[in-house]
Amino acid sequence: MINAAHGGNDLGLDIRLDLSANLNPMGMPESVRAAAVASADCWERYPDPMCRELREKLAEKLGEDMEKIVCGNGADDLIYRIASALKPRRALICAPTFAEYGKALRENGCELREHILRENENFCLTERILGELSGVDMAVICTPNNPTGITVPRELMERIAAECEKNGTYLLADESFIGFTGRKRELTAMNLPGSHVIVLRSFTKLYAMAGLRLGYAVCGSTDTAEKIAAAGQYWSVSAPAQAAGIAALDEADYVRRTVSLIAEERKYLSSELSALGCRVYPSEADYILFRSIPELGEKLLCDGILVRSCKDYSGLDGSFFRTAVGLHDDNEALVCAVRRCLDG
């Protein structure tokens, strides 16, 4: 077993390179780190439970109403709060996709339906989903999807949102990795018409803030935002996380450099893995889904490298793996290790 429930070295394995978690390989911006440390003077007090300063800055940057924004202890926290607050009876999720949607919904008594993404379509979401949106209270769309890295075209997302609004169905669009695409304005579900859209974003991945935990949801109505804000714990975002998030929103150059690095290294890694005989699926995110021999994960682990086994994703098996796109030296190390594993 190389992974627990998610990517990251949760099992405390002896490794030299962790490519199982999809974090920005450039590391946390120094301004973000400094802001978190500088907040130490207020650590003896409770943090602002409403995250007012952070929400004000998010509203300014996004051109959204502050009252429609809810902050949480990472996107994961908000997934559970959304499920608890809205309590959909039936929900539609894709397969494969991030497992926490299903877990959170099931824990709140929700019946799940799966829309199967087809391998022969590179696991792309297509208009076939439009015929499955009736009879559900919530549809969850991850874009770019995890673990595939595939984004949903804006036109299709607009049609999905329109169908959901017509049916009174909540559309939860998880855009936690959209910052890596460099196409946020073109792809985002933000500003789609209707009161039932909820867009989920994360600071964790783009700004390498996994240990601080910070995410936010932008809702189509203040009523929905108030319900989500009232669910879960009262002080959901720590003072250092709020300070770090405020600083991160000014890191435009860091994001531009990240997008450029990821695009270049994703192209290199995809090409090299394909040349080694792996089946590599197209991605726009900071990770790649590929298929190889089922033993590859264990073999790489013996070489001190951890990738994400995808056998616990619905619709995938033990021959699928997800690797983060790292710095060039790390990507070279992975390619060399895969070559040794497959040659051996």
Side-chain angles (χ1 to χ4, degrees):
M1 184 178 188
I2 66 173
N3 299 115
H6 299 289
N9 191 16
D10 294 347
L11 301 178
L13 303 170
D14 183 15
I15 59 172
R16 60 186 174 91
L17 178 58
D18 185 0
L19 292 172
S20 68
N22 309 319
L23 302 174
N24 192 325
M26 290 175 55
M28 186 186 296
E30 285 306 313
S31 67
V32 175
R33 190 184 309 275
V37 172
S39 72
D41 288 345
C42 65
W43 290 358
E44 294 175 351
R45 303 188 298 274
Y46 284 108
D48 175 9
M50 309 302 176
C51 301
R52 293 176 182 86
E53 187 178 354
L54 175 57
R55 287 168 55 233
E56 284 176 5
K57 192 156 189 177
L58 278 166
E60 177 187 342
K61 293 287 184 180
L62 298 170
E64 291 287 342
D65 182 353
M66 172 183 166
E67 300 306 317
K68 294 181 179 179
I69 299 173
V70 184
C71 295
N73 184 33
D76 203 46
D77 170 47
L78 287 163
I79 290 168
Y80 282 83
R81 291 168 69 180
I82 289 166
S84 174
L86 304 181
K87 287 191 167 49
R89 295 168 298 168
R90 288 176 297 277
L92 179 68
I93 62 174
C94 295
T97 198
F98 187 46
E100 292 302 300
Y101 310 135
K103 186 173 182 292
L105 290 163
R106 286 190 192 96
E107 288 181 5
N108 283 275
C110 182
E111 173 192 331
L112 292 184
R113 300 179 186 174
E114 286 189 332
H115 172 73
I116 306 300
L117 303 175
R118 297 173 179 174
E119 184 180 3
N120 63 1
E121 296 173 335
N122 287 325
F123 299 109
C124 294
L125 190 69
T126 71
E127 61 183 13
R128 286 188 295 106
I129 194 173
L130 297 172
E132 300 179 28
L133 292 171
S134 62
V136 296
D137 306 301
M138 179 177 288
V140 184
I141 307 292
C142 184
T143 178
N145 191 24
N146 178 3
T148 66
I150 299 292
T151 57
V152 179
R154 173 75 179 192
E155 180 183 3
L156 179 55
M157 188 65 84
E158 289 175 347
R159 294 176 67 187
I160 292 170
E163 188 69 18
C164 286
E165 190 67 20
K166 182 181 76 174
N167 298 335
T169 299
Y170 285 103
L171 170 60
L172 174 56
D174 186 349
E175 299 182 350
S176 291
F177 294 97
I178 205 164
F180 292 99
T181 68
R183 300 170 61 200
K184 288 186 289 186
R185 294 188 182 278
E186 177 185 346
L187 294 170
T188 182
M190 210 86 73
N191 301 317
L192 288 180
S195 61
H196 287 76
V197 177
I198 305 167
V199 177
L200 189 61
R201 295 258 182 100
S202 172
F203 286 82
T204 301
K205 314 297 185 182
L206 186 58
Y207 300 100
M209 289 169 51
L212 283 171
R213 312 298 305 139
L214 182 61
Y216 63 94
V218 181
C219 303
S221 72
T222 55
D223 179 64
T224 299
E226 288 169 0
K227 288 177 181 177
I228 296 168
Q233 57 179 314
Y234 188 60
W235 294 284
S236 62
V237 183
S238 70
Q242 292 186 43
I246 291 166
L249 290 172
D250 288 327
E251 284 287 345
D253 183 61
Y254 167 89
V255 174
R256 282 192 292 269
R257 287 185 289 117
T258 293
V259 170
S260 177
L261 170 72
I262 293 299
E264 181 178 351
E265 291 300 321
R266 185 176 60 230
K267 182 179 179 181
Y268 163 79
L269 197 51
S270 296
S271 176
E272 293 296 317
L273 290 175
S274 295
L276 292 174
C278 300
R279 171 71 165 95
V280 178
Y281 300 89
S283 170
E284 292 186 71
D286 63 322
Y287 49 89
I288 294 169
L289 178 71
F290 68 98
R291 193 169 194 176
S292 186
I293 59 172
E295 303 83 22
L296 180 64
E298 296 291 347
K299 287 188 173 186
L300 285 173
L301 187 58
C302 291
D303 205 352
I305 297 178
L306 182 63
V307 294
R308 173 71 159 95
S309 169
C310 294
K311 64 182 179 182
D312 61 337
Y313 279 91
S314 178
L316 302 182
D317 60 31
S319 66
F320 287 89
F321 301 91
R322 188 194 70 199
T323 179
V325 176
L327 299 176
H328 189 71
D329 287 349
D330 294 337
N331 296 330
E332 276 193 323
L334 174 63
V335 170
C336 291
V338 171
R339 182 180 294 111
R340 287 192 297 269
C341 293
L342 296 181
D343 287 346

